[in-house]
Amino acid sequence: MFQDFISLAPAGIQALEPYQPGKPVEELERELGLQNIIKLASNENPLGASQAVMAGLINKMPELARYPDGSAYTLKSKLAEFLEVDADCLTIGNGSNDVLELMARVFLKPGNEAIVSQHAFVVYPLAAKAIGAELRVVPAKDYCQDLVATLAQVSANTRMIFIANPNNPTGTWVDNTALTQFMDHLRDDILVVLDEAYFEYVDQAGYPDGIELSKKYPNLIVTRTFSKAYGLASLRLGYAVSHPDIADLMNRIRQPFNVNAMSLVAAELALDDQDHVRRSVAMNKAEISRLMNACNALGLGYIPSAGNFLTVDFGKDAQPVYEALLRLGIIVRPIGVYQLPNHLRITIGLPDENVRLIEALKKVSG
Ligand SMILES: *Cc1c(COP(=O)(O)O)cnc(C)c1O
């Protein structure tokens, strides 16, 4: 009986390793016999979703039996106004992950090359390799994407370049000068995907506004998400801003109802509650300082971060530290798969969660 199903898959898919999500909190509590575990592992908004979103979703319940608006008309109109772009530049996805995958499927084929940075977000290699495209990985500089080195890696086969700004799991970012020079020198038939999942958190001077740049460089595609500062990770809603022809192509291959009705209405309400975003960002700023100060006091290094997480350097294999924190009821993210085995990525939590984390770091980092 035929059983070698793996051999039937294209080589690019055979070579993939599935994304490793963290275990659910309830499962860990059971396994470890602990209560009140705090999860600082997935860069979610510790304040949760806005009250306005939660109230609005209940009103939407009577329509659960209906298909969603596959054109996302209302959300696109709102976003277009908010971002000051034309609605036909927008592609709405089931998380920005969905949009990243659509882009790869539209533009990559076996034989094409995609370029990513060392330590870059894993979804880019996943999306490119699943299609059978070749991947070039450019060494990072001080943990950051090196755009000069990236440019030097471009070949005749290069079709797409991914830039996470800021990057997960390093929190590093490229500035407006570096990005503009890069775009000025890049062949303009190469698509640049600028992933701005943490855009709302960044207040560093010189940070580029990708959407403004996408108006000047039509080969620049910006992706954003409601999963982080807007606190809607569970609902999966992200989008791309691009040249309308690029949006048109992605629209041709997406599932007709790729985004569900609850997510659409939640995103519309979340967009209207900018106070919630401001509160989330302000808390993150104060709390990331608290964690950096604690690391300084403990003699722990960290990568300066523009996001809602801090990647801490333990100067030795961090797996035992991760496990020790787990036994104290704190889940963080080991990032050995990102070639950072001595670091742990720690999401900035609520003030009392961060206090507990810092007490735990004191115990385990000695
Ligand atoms: C969290 C994250 C995203 C968001 O993904 P969604 O699918 O929108 O939840 C995208 N890019 C990076 C770098 C991220 O860290």
Side-chain angles (χ1 to χ4, degrees):
M1 204 194 302
F2 183 81
Q3 295 219 4
D4 190 10
F5 300 112
I6 305 279
S7 74
L8 299 180
I13 290 180
Q14 287 189 41
L16 287 181
E17 290 188 33
Y19 178 81
Q20 295 288 350
K23 277 190 192 172
V25 170
E26 297 74 19
E27 177 61 20
L28 275 169
E29 289 186 338
R30 218 169 43 79
E31 271 180 26
L32 298 169
L34 290 174
Q35 271 160 15
N36 304 321
I37 287 187
I38 55 178
K39 184 172 176 246
L40 304 174
S42 299
N43 300 346
E44 294 134 335
N45 185 335
L47 289 176
S50 103
Q51 292 295 330
V53 168
M54 290 191 264
L57 284 178
I58 290 174
N59 295 333
K60 196 74 189 165
M61 296 286 190
E63 288 172 55
L64 277 176
R66 304 260 173 222
Y67 279 99
D69 169 19
S71 70
Y73 179 82
T74 314
L75 178 60
K76 277 191 183 175
S77 311
K78 268 185 177 290
L79 268 177
E81 192 186 325
F82 182 73
L83 301 170
E84 298 176 8
V85 299
D86 287 338
D88 60 1
C89 296
L90 295 169
T91 306
I92 311 291
N94 186 29
S96 50
N97 261 267
D98 187 25
V99 180
L100 291 167
E101 230 168 67
L102 290 175
M103 257 180 266
R105 279 173 55 210
V106 165
F107 289 109
L108 294 177
K109 59 175 191 275
N112 285 160
E113 274 173 15
I115 301 182
V116 299
S117 173
Q118 182 188 16
H119 315 309
F121 189 46
V122 284
V123 167
Y124 318 140
L126 264 180
K129 284 198 224 161
I131 282 157
E134 300 298 319
L135 199 70
R136 284 201 190 208
V137 182
V138 181
K141 193 170 163 187
D142 296 328
Y143 302 106
C144 184
Q145 184 150 7
D146 179 345
L147 290 181
V148 174
T150 304
L151 207 52
Q153 288 287 319
V154 169
S155 79
N157 297 328
T158 305
R159 176 58 48 84
M160 190 173 276
I161 299 176
F162 291 94
I163 304 172
N165 208 34
N167 182 47
N168 168 16
T170 55
T172 52
W173 54 282
V174 298
D175 69 18
N176 193 48
T177 311
L179 184 58
T180 308
Q181 276 170 6
F182 171 78
M183 292 305 299
D184 282 338
H185 289 93
L186 185 69
R187 255 183 23 231
D188 56 13
D189 65 343
I190 295 175
L191 296 152
V192 176
V193 179
L194 189 68
D195 178 347
E196 294 187 336
Y198 301 93
F199 170 84
E200 294 82 2
Y201 291 105
V202 186
D203 70 348
Q204 275 78 355
Y207 177 72
D209 179 342
I211 290 179
E212 218 30 61
L213 290 177
S214 74
K215 293 173 185 169
K216 178 169 171 205
Y217 302 103
N219 57 327
L220 186 69
I221 308 168
V222 177
T223 61
R224 292 198 186 161
T225 184
F226 284 84
S227 296
K228 304 288 157 62
Y230 285 91
L232 296 179
S234 72
L235 288 177
R236 319 297 307 118
L237 204 136
Y239 60 93
V241 181
S242 70
H243 186 280
D245 289 351
I246 296 176
D248 173 31
L249 287 163
M250 293 203 278
N251 200 43
R252 293 180 198 190
I253 62 160
R254 72 175 173 84
Q255 293 178 32
F257 302 107
N258 63 331
V259 177
N260 73 74
M262 300 303 260
S263 304
L264 289 172
V265 76
E268 289 158 22
L269 293 167
L271 206 56
D272 283 340
D273 189 358
Q274 290 297 318
D275 276 347
H276 184 67
V277 177
R278 277 190 285 274
R279 266 196 304 279
S280 305
V281 168
M283 188 184 78
N284 183 69
K285 190 175 156 90
E287 292 300 312
I288 201 169
S289 294
R290 184 207 298 269
L291 185 53
M292 288 192 292
N293 290 339
C295 287
N296 293 339
L298 290 168
L300 290 172
Y302 52 83
I303 307 173
S305 168
N308 65 345
F309 56 90
L310 193 69
T311 293
V312 177
D313 185 358
F314 291 88
K316 58 182 182 198
D317 180 13
Q319 193 63 24
V321 181
Y322 162 74
E323 281 158 21
L325 287 173
L326 206 53
R327 287 191 294 272
L328 294 170
I330 299 173
I331 313 173
V332 298
R333 181 64 71 119
I335 45 176
V337 292
Y338 289 95
Q339 298 179 3
L340 294 167
N342 293 353
H343 291 74
L344 294 174
R345 190 193 69 198
I346 303 175
T347 302
I348 306 305
L350 296 169
D352 58 341
E353 293 175 331
N354 302 326
V355 168
R356 222 178 107 188
L357 164 76
I358 290 165
E359 287 309 310
L361 283 175
K362 282 181 192 156
K363 287 190 192 135
V364 304
S365 67

